[in-house]
Amino acid sequence: MSQERKVRVRFAPSPTGPLHIGGVRTALYNYLFARRHGGTMILRIEDTDSQRFVPGAEEYILESLKWCGIEIDEGVGVGGPHAPYRQSERRDIYLKYAKQLVESGWAYYAFDTAEELDALRKEYEARGETFAYNYSIREKQPTSLSLSKEEVAARIARGDQWVIRFKMPENEIVEMDDLIRGHVEVNTSTLDDKVLYKSADALPTYHLANIVDDRLMEVSHVIRGEEWLPSLPLHYLLYRAFGWTDLQPRFAHLPLLLKPTGGGKLSKRDGDKMGFPVFPLFWKSPATGETARGYREDGYFPEAFINMLALLGWNPGTEQELFTMQELIDNFSLERVSKSGARFQPDKAKWFNAQYMHRKTDAELAEVYQPILREHGIEVSDEVAGKAAGIMKERAQLTTDLWDLTSYFFIAPTQYEEKQTRKYWKGDNPAILRELRGVLEGIDDFSKENTERIVHAWIEEKGYGMGQVMNTLRLALVGAGKGPGMYDVTEFIGREETLRRIDYLLDNLKPAE
């Protein structure tokens, strides 16, 4: 491939359900690579498997990429010079290419029925052998390699079902180069004759459609998951068979995302069992009603999610862990992508989100907190919402933590934590709180600094214990032994609400004996 060739990459998911975070990472690495090299990011939907198609999955993919900040330059939802970008809308293209391979001797028609193939497999199993449809049997089966041209034409004309299979060369070494894995060699005798096209549904298989579309869309680099590595020899040979070797893209196969335990590919079951999402957005199956959690709904910022995901399989070569999207673009290279699988760490994902939470301005926090407040029937200004979240952001990991951390700013307690009540609502404390109420009532400037100065001077003058007074006040204002400094609370809720909450406690809770 010429070094001057313009970088064009594609993300090509199948709409068979929600997009796994492994798929999001594949899209992200393609996007980072394209942006790093001033190239084009294409989105192609590979929906040729009609039996596995799930309604709503394509929309889910588009919404997920948008939430993540992965911008599509060309493809589904955007358009472009190589439209259409859904393979189901390109179905008329593929048969021509499949027939071209038959005519050039690189493929053949096979008329085996499903029943015949099943019987053949059972014969092999009975002999303790592994069945492979390859050079050893293709000329013994009902194929265009064993039948006359007239018989082949007659079978097709009368409507017999057929497939076109790739004619894998016998005992040839295929030499391949992967940008992550390096040089790879495979003997073709270990490979079978893959189906490229099926007359039953007039659709190509992944292998043919993938190669044809990548060529027609002028894809320069194929960056995809390592599960496609076994298909690489076939894809190399398809480029040779079509005479497209000079235009063949460079390949890079990404490592798997592994379970937190390290053994095996990360799955929805792992997330369900250990309490974390494996999809970017919430998903509900239209067929079964089954649901799956999403990072967005679980309270993650998209930029934190992307930052976490980028470092699962790629190492910047420095100690830096927090990256903006632009910094990821500036630093990304396939040379620093690992060959081995990357273990997913749920706690690390939360850590990343907490770092972004702590760096948010009150205005940015208001944007994510306002919908949560409205769900709880709270209508306040953005300034008030942002201030509440800002006071407690250092203690939050997820946006979903904010309500539990700040609800008492908006709703006065009417019930009190038992442990705090037993500890502080006894002895002289109720009388001291009543006295403190009088002090607070006399303060005109209820700012945090002024209130703290006056109350501390009063405590010192009276000789009361600081913890004794503050924890009793906390019981009145928060109802529990949690929350920020008490002067943050008094400033936020204001003098009248502070006095009202003290009165409610004094009037409604009997002190412990």
Side-chain angles (χ1 to χ4, degrees), residues 74 110 140 203 219 292 459 490:
E74 182 182 319
K140 301 171 190 171
L203 281 172
V219 169
I459 291 173
T490 56

Side-chain angles (χ1 to χ4, degrees), residues 71-102:
E71 299 163 339
I72 303 305
D73 302 311
E74 182 182 319
V76 173
V78 179
H82 301 287
Y85 293 91
R86 288 183 194 87
Q87 286 186 336
S88 59
E89 295 171 9
R90 300 170 63 82
R91 60 195 303 157
D92 296 339
I93 295 172
Y94 306 112
L95 181 56
K96 176 184 81 169
Y97 288 97
K99 286 182 175 178
Q100 182 182 321
L101 291 175
V102 174

Side-chain angles (χ1 to χ4, degrees), residues 11 19-27 225 254-255 257 265-266 278 309:
F11 178 52
L19 182 63
H20 188 275
I21 62 171
V24 179
R25 189 192 61 173
T26 298
L254 306 175
L257 284 189
K265 187 177 176 181
L266 180 68
V278 297
L309 208 51

Side-chain angles (χ1 to χ4, degrees), residues 11-19 43-48 52-66 72 75-79 84-89 281 283 286:
F11 178 52
S14 298
T16 55
L19 182 63
L43 174 64
R44 186 170 75 221
I45 298 293
E46 301 198 336
D47 57 349
T48 55
R52 295 179 63 219
F53 174 79
V54 173
E58 182 185 307
E59 292 76 8
Y60 181 96
I61 291 166
L62 290 169
E63 191 180 349
S64 295
L65 296 178
K66 186 177 179 183
I72 303 305
V76 173
V78 179
Y85 293 91
R86 288 183 194 87
Q87 286 186 336
S88 59
E89 295 171 9
L281 314 180
W283 166 260

